[in-house]
CSV table of all heavy atoms in Angstrom, one decimal:
chain,number,residue,atom,x,y,z
F,1,MET,N,0.9,-1.2,0.0
F,1,MET,CA,0.0,0.0,0.0
F,1,MET,C,0.9,1.2,0.0
F,1,MET,O,1.9,1.3,0.6
F,1,MET,CB,-0.9,0.0,1.3
F,1,MET,CG,-1.8,1.2,1.4
F,1,MET,SD,-2.6,1.2,3.0
F,1,MET,CE,-3.9,2.4,2.7
F,2,LYS,N,0.4,2.3,-0.7
F,2,LYS,CA,1.2,3.5,-0.8
F,2,LYS,C,0.1,4.7,-0.6
F,2,LYS,O,-1.0,4.6,-1.2
F,2,LYS,CB,1.9,3.6,-2.1
F,2,LYS,CG,3.1,4.4,-2.1
F,2,LYS,CD,4.0,4.2,-3.3
F,2,LYS,CE,5.1,5.2,-3.2
F,2,LYS,NZ,6.0,5.2,-4.3
F,3,ILE,N,0.5,5.7,0.1
F,3,ILE,CA,-0.4,6.8,0.4
F,3,ILE,C,0.3,8.1,0.1
F,3,ILE,O,1.5,8.2,0.0
F,3,ILE,CB,-0.9,6.8,1.8
F,3,ILE,CG1,0.3,6.9,2.8
F,3,ILE,CG2,-1.7,5.6,2.1
F,3,ILE,CD1,-0.1,7.0,4.3
F,4,ASN,N,-0.6,9.1,-0.1
F,4,ASN,CA,-0.2,10.5,-0.4
F,4,ASN,C,-0.9,11.4,0.6
F,4,ASN,O,-2.0,11.1,1.0
F,4,ASN,CB,-0.6,11.0,-1.7
F,4,ASN,CG,0.2,10.4,-2.9
F,4,ASN,OD1,1.4,10.3,-2.7
F,4,ASN,ND2,-0.4,10.1,-3.9
F,5,ILE,N,-0.2,12.5,1.0
F,5,ILE,CA,-0.9,13.6,1.7
F,5,ILE,C,-0.9,14.8,0.8
F,5,ILE,O,0.1,15.2,0.3
F,5,ILE,CB,-0.1,14.0,3.0
F,5,ILE,CG1,0.1,12.8,3.9
F,5,ILE,CG2,-0.9,15.1,3.8
F,5,ILE,CD1,1.1,13.1,5.1
F,6,ASP,N,-2.1,15.3,0.7
F,6,ASP,CA,-2.3,16.6,-0.1
F,6,ASP,C,-2.1,17.7,1.0
F,6,ASP,O,-3.0,18.1,1.7
F,6,ASP,CB,-3.7,16.7,-0.7
F,6,ASP,CG,-3.9,18.0,-1.4
F,6,ASP,OD1,-3.0,18.9,-1.3
F,6,ASP,OD2,-5.0,18.2,-2.0
F,7,LEU,N,-0.9,18.3,1.0
F,7,LEU,CA,-0.5,19.3,2.0
F,7,LEU,C,-1.2,20.6,1.8
F,7,LEU,O,-1.3,21.4,2.7
F,7,LEU,CB,1.0,19.5,2.0
F,7,LEU,CG,1.8,18.3,2.6
F,7,LEU,CD1,3.3,18.5,2.5
F,7,LEU,CD2,1.4,18.0,4.0
F,8,SER,N,-1.8,20.8,0.6
F,8,SER,CA,-2.6,22.0,0.3
F,8,SER,C,-3.9,21.9,1.0
F,8,SER,O,-4.6,22.9,1.2
F,8,SER,CB,-2.7,22.3,-1.1
F,8,SER,OG,-3.5,21.3,-1.8
F,9,ALA,N,-4.4,20.6,1.3
F,9,ALA,CA,-5.6,20.4,2.0
F,9,ALA,C,-5.5,20.2,3.5
F,9,ALA,O,-6.4,20.5,4.2
F,9,ALA,CB,-6.3,19.2,1.4
F,10,CYS,N,-4.3,19.7,3.9
F,10,CYS,CA,-4.1,19.5,5.3
F,10,CYS,C,-4.1,20.7,6.1
F,10,CYS,O,-3.4,21.7,5.8
F,10,CYS,CB,-2.7,18.8,5.5
F,10,CYS,SG,-2.2,18.6,7.2
F,11,THR,N,-5.0,20.7,7.2
F,11,THR,CA,-5.0,21.9,8.0
F,11,THR,C,-4.5,21.7,9.4
F,11,THR,O,-4.7,22.5,10.3
F,11,THR,CB,-6.5,22.4,8.1
F,11,THR,OG1,-7.3,21.4,8.5
F,11,THR,CG2,-6.9,23.0,6.7
F,12,GLY,N,-3.9,20.5,9.6
F,12,GLY,CA,-3.2,20.2,10.9
F,12,GLY,C,-4.1,19.8,12.0
F,12,GLY,O,-3.8,20.1,13.2
F,13,HIS,N,-5.2,19.1,11.8
F,13,HIS,CA,-6.0,18.7,12.9
F,13,HIS,C,-5.3,17.6,13.7
F,13,HIS,O,-5.7,17.4,14.9
F,13,HIS,CB,-7.3,18.0,12.3
F,13,HIS,CG,-8.2,18.9,11.6
F,13,HIS,ND1,-9.1,19.8,12.2
F,13,HIS,CD2,-8.4,19.1,10.2
F,13,HIS,CE1,-9.7,20.5,11.3
F,13,HIS,NE2,-9.3,20.1,10.1
F,14,GLY,N,-4.4,16.9,13.1
F,14,GLY,CA,-3.6,15.9,13.9
F,14,GLY,C,-4.3,14.6,14.1
F,14,GLY,O,-3.8,13.7,14.8
F,15,ARG,N,-5.5,14.4,13.5
F,15,ARG,CA,-6.1,13.1,13.6
F,15,ARG,C,-5.2,11.9,13.1
F,15,ARG,O,-5.1,10.9,13.7
F,15,ARG,CB,-7.4,13.0,12.9
F,15,ARG,CG,-8.4,14.0,13.3
F,15,ARG,CD,-9.5,13.4,14.2
F,15,ARG,NE,-10.5,14.4,14.6
F,15,ARG,CZ,-11.6,14.7,13.9
F,15,ARG,NH1,-11.8,14.0,12.8
F,15,ARG,NH2,-12.4,15.6,14.3
F,16,CYS,N,-4.5,12.2,12.0
F,16,CYS,CA,-3.8,11.1,11.4
F,16,CYS,C,-2.6,10.7,12.3
F,16,CYS,O,-2.4,9.5,12.5
F,16,CYS,CB,-3.2,11.6,10.0
F,16,CYS,SG,-2.2,13.1,10.0
F,17,TYR,N,-1.9,11.6,12.8
F,17,TYR,CA,-0.7,11.1,13.6
F,17,TYR,C,-1.2,10.7,15.0
F,17,TYR,O,-0.4,10.0,15.7
F,17,TYR,CB,0.4,12.1,13.6
F,17,TYR,CG,0.1,13.6,13.8
F,17,TYR,CD1,0.0,14.2,15.0
F,17,TYR,CD2,0.0,14.4,12.7
F,17,TYR,CE1,-0.3,15.5,15.2
F,17,TYR,CE2,-0.2,15.8,12.8
F,17,TYR,CZ,-0.4,16.3,14.1
F,17,TYR,OH,-0.6,17.7,14.2
F,18,ALA,N,-2.4,11.1,15.4
F,18,ALA,CA,-2.9,10.5,16.7
F,18,ALA,C,-3.4,9.1,16.5
F,18,ALA,O,-3.1,8.2,17.3
F,18,ALA,CB,-4.1,11.3,17.2
F,19,LEU,N,-4.0,8.8,15.3
F,19,LEU,CA,-4.6,7.5,15.1
F,19,LEU,C,-3.5,6.5,14.5
F,19,LEU,O,-3.7,5.3,14.6
F,19,LEU,CB,-5.8,7.6,14.1
F,19,LEU,CG,-7.0,8.3,14.7
F,19,LEU,CD1,-8.0,8.6,13.6
F,19,LEU,CD2,-7.7,7.4,15.7
F,20,ALA,N,-2.6,7.1,13.8
F,20,ALA,CA,-1.6,6.2,13.1
F,20,ALA,C,-0.2,6.8,13.3
F,20,ALA,O,0.5,7.2,12.4
F,20,ALA,CB,-1.9,6.3,11.6
F,21,PRO,N,0.2,6.7,14.6
F,21,PRO,CA,1.5,7.3,14.9
F,21,PRO,C,2.7,6.6,14.3
F,21,PRO,O,3.8,7.2,14.4
F,21,PRO,CB,1.5,7.2,16.5
F,21,PRO,CG,0.6,6.0,16.8
F,21,PRO,CD,-0.4,6.1,15.7
F,22,ASP,N,2.5,5.4,13.8
F,22,ASP,CA,3.7,4.7,13.1
F,22,ASP,C,3.7,5.1,11.7
F,22,ASP,O,4.7,4.6,11.0
F,22,ASP,CB,3.5,3.2,13.3
F,22,ASP,CG,3.6,2.9,14.8
F,22,ASP,OD1,4.4,3.4,15.6
F,22,ASP,OD2,2.7,2.0,15.2
F,23,VAL,N,2.8,5.8,11.2
F,23,VAL,CA,2.7,6.1,9.7
F,23,VAL,C,3.0,7.6,9.5
F,23,VAL,O,3.6,8.0,8.6
F,23,VAL,CB,1.4,5.7,9.1
F,23,VAL,CG1,1.3,6.1,7.6
F,23,VAL,CG2,1.1,4.2,9.3
F,24,PHE,N,2.4,8.4,10.4
F,24,PHE,CA,2.4,9.9,10.3
F,24,PHE,C,3.1,10.5,11.5
F,24,PHE,O,3.1,10.1,12.6
F,24,PHE,CB,1.0,10.5,10.2
F,24,PHE,CG,0.2,10.0,9.1
F,24,PHE,CD1,-0.6,8.9,9.3
F,24,PHE,CD2,0.2,10.6,7.8
F,24,PHE,CE1,-1.4,8.4,8.2
F,24,PHE,CE2,-0.5,10.1,6.8
F,24,PHE,CZ,-1.4,9.0,7.0
F,25,THR,N,3.7,11.7,11.2
F,25,THR,CA,4.2,12.5,12.3
F,25,THR,C,3.8,14.0,11.9
F,25,THR,O,3.1,14.2,11.0
F,25,THR,CB,5.8,12.4,12.4
F,25,THR,OG1,6.2,13.1,13.6
F,25,THR,CG2,6.5,12.9,11.2
F,26,ALA,N,4.2,14.9,12.7
F,26,ALA,CA,3.8,16.3,12.5
F,26,ALA,C,5.0,17.2,12.2
F,26,ALA,O,6.1,16.9,12.8
F,26,ALA,CB,3.1,16.8,13.7
F,27,ASP,N,4.9,18.2,11.4
F,27,ASP,CA,5.9,19.1,11.3
F,27,ASP,C,5.8,20.2,12.4
F,27,ASP,O,4.9,20.0,13.3
F,27,ASP,CB,6.0,19.8,9.9
F,27,ASP,CG,4.8,20.7,9.6
F,27,ASP,OD1,4.0,21.0,10.6
F,27,ASP,OD2,4.6,21.1,8.5
F,28,ASP,N,6.6,21.2,12.4
F,28,ASP,CA,6.6,22.1,13.6
F,28,ASP,C,5.4,23.0,13.6
F,28,ASP,O,5.2,23.7,14.5
F,28,ASP,CB,7.9,22.9,13.6
F,28,ASP,CG,8.2,23.7,12.4
F,28,ASP,OD1,7.3,23.7,11.5
F,28,ASP,OD2,9.3,24.2,12.3
F,29,GLN,N,4.5,22.9,12.5
F,29,GLN,CA,3.3,23.7,12.6
F,29,GLN,C,2.1,22.8,12.7
F,29,GLN,O,0.9,23.2,12.6
F,29,GLN,CB,3.2,24.5,11.3
F,29,GLN,CG,4.3,25.5,11.2
F,29,GLN,CD,4.1,26.5,10.0
F,29,GLN,OE1,3.5,26.1,9.0
F,29,GLN,NE2,4.5,27.7,10.2
F,30,GLY,N,2.3,21.5,13.0
F,30,GLY,CA,1.2,20.6,13.2
F,30,GLY,C,0.6,19.9,12.0
F,30,GLY,O,-0.3,19.1,12.1
F,31,HIS,N,1.2,20.2,10.8
F,31,HIS,CA,0.7,19.5,9.6
F,31,HIS,C,1.4,18.2,9.5
F,31,HIS,O,2.4,17.9,10.1
F,31,HIS,CB,1.1,20.4,8.4
F,31,HIS,CG,0.4,21.7,8.3
F,31,HIS,ND1,1.1,22.9,8.5
F,31,HIS,CD2,-0.9,22.0,8.2
F,31,HIS,CE1,0.2,23.9,8.4
F,31,HIS,NE2,-1.0,23.4,8.3
F,32,ALA,N,0.7,17.3,8.8
F,32,ALA,CA,1.1,15.9,8.7
F,32,ALA,C,2.3,15.7,7.8
F,32,ALA,O,2.5,16.4,6.8
F,32,ALA,CB,-0.1,15.1,8.1
F,33,GLU,N,3.1,14.8,8.3
F,33,GLU,CA,4.3,14.3,7.5
F,33,GLU,C,4.3,12.8,7.5
F,33,GLU,O,3.9,12.2,8.5
F,33,GLU,CB,5.6,14.8,8.0
F,33,GLU,CG,5.9,16.2,7.8
F,33,GLU,CD,7.3,16.6,8.3
F,33,GLU,OE1,7.9,15.9,9.1
F,33,GLU,OE2,7.7,17.7,7.9
F,34,LEU,N,4.7,12.2,6.4
F,34,LEU,CA,4.8,10.8,6.3
F,34,LEU,C,6.2,10.4,7.0
F,34,LEU,O,7.2,11.0,6.7
F,34,LEU,CB,4.8,10.3,4.9
F,34,LEU,CG,3.5,10.4,4.1
F,34,LEU,CD1,3.7,10.2,2.6
F,34,LEU,CD2,2.5,9.5,4.7
F,35,ILE,N,6.1,9.4,7.9
F,35,ILE,CA,7.4,8.9,8.5
F,35,ILE,C,8.2,8.3,7.4
F,35,ILE,O,9.5,8.6,7.3
F,35,ILE,CB,7.1,7.9,9.6
F,35,ILE,CG1,6.4,8.7,10.7
F,35,ILE,CG2,8.3,7.2,10.0
F,35,ILE,CD1,5.9,7.8,11.9
F,36,ASP,N,7.6,7.6,6.5
F,36,ASP,CA,8.4,7.1,5.3
F,36,ASP,C,8.0,8.0,4.1
F,36,ASP,O,6.9,7.9,3.6
F,36,ASP,CB,8.0,5.6,5.0
F,36,ASP,CG,8.7,5.1,3.8
F,36,ASP,OD1,9.3,5.9,3.0
F,36,ASP,OD2,8.8,3.8,3.7
F,37,PRO,N,8.9,8.9,3.7
F,37,PRO,CA,8.6,9.9,2.7
F,37,PRO,C,8.2,9.2,1.4
F,37,PRO,O,7.6,9.9,0.5
F,37,PRO,CB,9.9,10.6,2.5
F,37,PRO,CG,10.8,10.3,3.7
F,37,PRO,CD,10.3,9.0,4.2
F,38,SER,N,8.5,8.0,1.1
F,38,SER,CA,8.1,7.3,-0.1
F,38,SER,C,6.6,7.1,-0.1
F,38,SER,O,6.0,6.8,-1.2
F,38,SER,CB,8.8,6.0,-0.3
F,38,SER,OG,8.3,5.0,0.6
F,39,GLY,N,5.9,7.2,1.0
F,39,GLY,CA,4.5,6.9,1.1
F,39,GLY,C,4.2,5.4,1.2
F,39,GLY,O,3.0,5.0,1.4
F,40,ALA,N,5.2,4.6,1.2
F,40,ALA,CA,5.0,3.1,1.4
F,40,ALA,C,4.5,2.8,2.8
F,40,ALA,O,5.0,3.4,3.8
F,40,ALA,CB,6.2,2.3,1.1
F,41,VAL,N,3.5,2.0,2.9
F,41,VAL,CA,2.9,1.6,4.2
F,41,VAL,C,3.2,0.1,4.4
F,41,VAL,O,2.7,-0.7,3.5
F,41,VAL,CB,1.4,1.9,4.3
F,41,VAL,CG1,0.9,1.4,5.6
F,41,VAL,CG2,1.2,3.4,4.1
F,42,ALA,N,3.9,-0.3,5.4
F,42,ALA,CA,4.1,-1.7,5.6
F,42,ALA,C,2.8,-2.5,5.9
F,42,ALA,O,1.9,-1.8,6.5
F,42,ALA,CB,5.1,-1.9,6.8
F,43,ASP,N,2.8,-3.7,5.6
F,43,ASP,CA,1.5,-4.5,5.8
F,43,ASP,C,1.0,-4.4,7.2
F,43,ASP,O,-0.3,-4.3,7.4
F,43,ASP,CB,1.8,-6.0,5.5
F,43,ASP,CG,2.0,-6.2,4.0
F,43,ASP,OD1,1.8,-5.3,3.2
F,43,ASP,OD2,2.5,-7.3,3.6
F,44,ASP,N,1.8,-4.4,8.2
F,44,ASP,CA,1.3,-4.3,9.6
F,44,ASP,C,0.8,-2.9,10.0
F,44,ASP,O,0.3,-2.8,11.1
F,44,ASP,CB,2.4,-4.9,10.6
F,44,ASP,CG,3.7,-4.1,10.6
F,44,ASP,OD1,4.0,-3.4,9.5
F,44,ASP,OD2,4.4,-4.1,11.6
F,45,LEU,N,1.0,-2.0,9.1
F,45,LEU,CA,0.5,-0.6,9.4
F,45,LEU,C,-0.7,-0.2,8.6
F,45,LEU,O,-1.1,1.0,8.7
F,45,LEU,CB,1.7,0.4,9.3
F,45,LEU,CG,2.9,0.2,10.2
F,45,LEU,CD1,4.0,1.2,9.9
F,45,LEU,CD2,2.5,0.2,11.7
F,46,VAL,N,-1.1,-1.1,7.7
F,46,VAL,CA,-2.2,-0.7,6.8
F,46,VAL,C,-3.5,-0.4,7.6
F,46,VAL,O,-4.2,0.6,7.2
F,46,VAL,CB,-2.5,-1.9,5.8
F,46,VAL,CG1,-3.8,-1.7,5.1
F,46,VAL,CG2,-1.3,-2.0,4.8
F,47,ASP,N,-3.8,-1.0,8.7
F,47,ASP,CA,-5.0,-0.7,9.4
F,47,ASP,C,-4.9,0.7,10.0
F,47,ASP,O,-5.9,1.5,10.0
F,47,ASP,CB,-5.2,-1.7,10.6
F,47,ASP,CG,-5.7,-3.0,10.1
F,47,ASP,OD1,-6.1,-3.1,8.9
F,47,ASP,OD2,-5.8,-4.0,10.9
F,48,GLN,N,-3.7,1.1,10.5
F,48,GLN,CA,-3.5,2.5,11.0
F,48,GLN,C,-3.7,3.5,9.8
F,48,GLN,O,-4.4,4.5,10.0
F,48,GLN,CB,-2.0,2.6,11.5
F,48,GLN,CG,-1.8,2.2,12.9
F,48,GLN,CD,-0.5,2.7,13.4
F,48,GLN,OE1,0.0,3.8,13.1
F,48,GLN,NE2,0.2,1.9,14.3
F,49,ALA,N,-3.2,3.2,8.7
F,49,ALA,CA,-3.3,4.1,7.6
F,49,ALA,C,-4.7,4.3,7.2
F,49,ALA,O,-5.2,5.4,6.9
F,49,ALA,CB,-2.4,3.6,6.4
F,50,HIS,N,-5.5,3.2,7.1
F,50,HIS,CA,-6.9,3.3,6.7
F,50,HIS,C,-7.7,4.1,7.8
F,50,HIS,O,-8.6,4.8,7.4
F,50,HIS,CB,-7.5,1.9,6.6
F,50,HIS,CG,-7.2,1.3,5.2
F,50,HIS,ND1,-7.6,1.9,4.0
F,50,HIS,CD2,-6.6,0.1,4.9
F,50,HIS,CE1,-7.2,1.1,3.0
F,50,HIS,NE2,-6.6,0.1,3.5
F,51,SER,N,-7.4,3.9,9.0
F,51,SER,CA,-8.0,4.7,10.1
F,51,SER,C,-7.8,6.2,9.9
F,51,SER,O,-8.7,7.0,10.0
F,51,SER,CB,-7.5,4.2,11.4
F,51,SER,OG,-8.2,5.0,12.4
F,52,ALA,N,-6.5,6.5,9.6
F,52,ALA,CA,-6.2,8.0,9.3
F,52,ALA,C,-7.0,8.5,8.1
F,52,ALA,O,-7.5,9.6,8.1
F,52,ALA,CB,-4.7,8.1,9.1
F,53,ILE,N,-7.0,7.7,7.0
F,53,ILE,CA,-7.7,8.1,5.8
F,53,ILE,C,-9.1,8.4,6.1
F,53,ILE,O,-9.7,9.4,5.7
F,53,ILE,CB,-7.5,7.0,4.7
F,53,ILE,CG1,-6.1,7.0,4.2
F,53,ILE,CG2,-8.5,7.3,3.5
F,53,ILE,CD1,-5.8,5.7,3.4
F,54,ALA,N,-9.8,7.5,6.9
F,54,ALA,CA,-11.2,7.6,7.2
F,54,ALA,C,-11.5,8.8,8.1
F,54,ALA,O,-12.6,9.3,8.1
F,54,ALA,CB,-11.7,6.3,7.8
F,55,ASN,N,-10.5,9.2,8.9
F,55,ASN,CA,-10.8,10.2,9.9
F,55,ASN,C,-10.2,11.6,9.6
F,55,ASN,O,-10.4,12.5,10.4
F,55,ASN,CB,-10.3,9.7,11.2
F,55,ASN,CG,-11.2,8.6,11.8
F,55,ASN,OD1,-12.3,8.9,12.3
F,55,ASN,ND2,-10.8,7.3,11.6
F,56,CYS,N,-9.5,11.7,8.5
F,56,CYS,CA,-9.0,13.1,8.2
F,56,CYS,C,-10.1,13.9,7.8
F,56,CYS,O,-10.8,13.7,6.8
F,56,CYS,CB,-8.0,13.0,7.0
F,56,CYS,SG,-7.5,14.6,6.5
F,57,PRO,N,-10.4,15.0,8.5
F,57,PRO,CA,-11.5,15.9,8.2
F,57,PRO,C,-11.5,16.6,6.8
F,57,PRO,O,-12.5,17.0,6.3
F,57,PRO,CB,-11.5,16.9,9.3
F,57,PRO,CG,-10.6,16.4,10.4
F,57,PRO,CD,-9.7,15.5,9.7
F,58,GLU,N,-10.3,16.6,6.3
F,58,GLU,CA,-10.1,17.3,5.0
F,58,GLU,C,-9.9,16.4,3.8
F,58,GLU,O,-9.6,16.8,2.7
F,58,GLU,CB,-8.8,18.2,5.1
F,58,GLU,CG,-8.8,19.1,6.3
F,58,GLU,CD,-9.9,20.1,6.4
F,58,GLU,OE1,-10.5,20.4,5.3
F,58,GLU,OE2,-10.3,20.6,7.5
F,59,GLN,N,-10.1,15.1,4.1
F,59,GLN,CA,-9.8,14.1,3.0
F,59,GLN,C,-8.5,14.3,2.3
F,59,GLN,O,-8.4,14.2,1.1
F,59,GLN,CB,-11.0,14.1,2.0
F,59,GLN,CG,-12.2,13.4,2.5
F,59,GLN,CD,-13.2,14.4,3.1
F,59,GLN,OE1,-13.4,15.5,2.6
F,59,GLN,NE2,-13.7,14.1,4.3
F,60,ALA,N,-7.5,14.7,3.1
F,60,ALA,CA,-6.2,15.0,2.6
F,60,ALA,C,-5.3,13.8,2.3
F,60,ALA,O,-4.3,14.0,1.7
F,60,ALA,CB,-5.5,16.0,3.5
F,61,ILE,N,-5.7,12.7,2.8
F,61,ILE,CA,-4.9,11.5,2.7
F,61,ILE,C,-5.6,10.5,1.7
F,61,ILE,O,-6.7,10.2,1.9
F,61,ILE,CB,-4.7,10.8,4.1
F,61,ILE,CG1,-4.2,11.7,5.1
F,61,ILE,CG2,-3.7,9.6,3.9
F,61,ILE,CD1,-4.4,11.2,6.5
F,62,THR,N,-4.8,10.1,0.7
F,62,THR,CA,-5.4,9.2,-0.3
F,62,THR,C,-4.4,8.1,-0.5
F,62,THR,O,-3.2,8.2,-0.3
F,62,THR,CB,-5.6,10.0,-1.6
F,62,THR,OG1,-4.4,10.6,-2.0
F,62,THR,CG2,-6.7,11.0,-1.5
F,63,VAL,N,-5.0,7.0,-1.1
F,63,VAL,CA,-4.2,5.9,-1.5
F,63,VAL,C,-3.7,6.2,-2.8
F,63,VAL,O,-4.4,6.6,-3.7
F,63,VAL,CB,-5.1,4.6,-1.5
F,63,VAL,CG1,-4.2,3.4,-2.0
F,63,VAL,CG2,-5.6,4.3,-0.1
F,64,ALA,N,-2.4,6.0,-3.0
F,64,ALA,CA,-1.7,6.2,-4.3
F,64,ALA,C,-2.0,5.0,-5.2
F,64,ALA,O,-2.0,3.9,-4.7
F,64,ALA,CB,-0.2,6.4,-4.1
F,65,ASN,N,-2.1,5.3,-6.5
F,65,ASN,CA,-2.3,4.2,-7.4
F,65,ASN,C,-0.9,3.7,-7.9
F,65,ASN,O,0.1,4.4,-7.8
F,65,ASN,CB,-3.1,4.7,-8.6
F,65,ASN,CG,-4.5,5.0,-8.2
F,65,ASN,OD1,-5.1,4.2,-7.5
F,65,ASN,ND2,-5.0,6.1,-8.7
B,1,SF4,S1,-5.8,14.4,9.8
B,1,SF4,FE1,-5.7,15.3,7.8
B,1,SF4,S2,-5.9,17.5,8.1
B,1,SF4,FE2,-5.3,16.6,10.0
B,1,SF4,S3,-3.1,16.6,10.1
B,1,SF4,FE3,-3.6,14.6,9.2
B,1,SF4,S4,-3.7,15.0,7.0
B,1,SF4,FE4,-3.7,17.0,8.0
């Protein structure tokens, strides 16, 4: 699985890094960052990633094709 963050949509609610702390972290302004910049999500973190996708209020996180 691979994911993207649309940083133009991210407003820094922090749901993603609260729900998926092994996938996302925050920059110094609270916006989301991918821990793995490639966007690759390890199999054991896919559930975390889906939870973040489902709970981002801005729909800023998407699955990459
Ligand atoms: S939940 Fe969405 S809006 Fe909030 S920090 Fe994460 S990507 Fe940004």
Side-chain angles (χ1 to χ4, degrees):
M1 181 187 190
K2 208 165 174 185
I3 57 174
N4 287 319
I5 303 171
D6 178 355
L7 289 176
S8 68
C10 173
T11 54
H13 297 279
R15 301 256 181 92
C16 56
Y17 43 86
L19 292 166
D22 300 317
V23 180
F24 300 92
T25 187
D27 69 11
D28 56 10
Q29 297 190 326
H31 295 112
E33 284 184 347
L34 292 168
I35 292 176
D36 182 339
S38 76
V41 178
D43 289 348
D44 60 335
L45 298 178
V46 166
D47 286 350
Q48 277 194 35
H50 278 301
S51 180
I53 291 166
N55 286 283
C56 173
E58 309 300 335
Q59 286 90 47
I61 309 164
T62 52
V63 177
N65 291 318

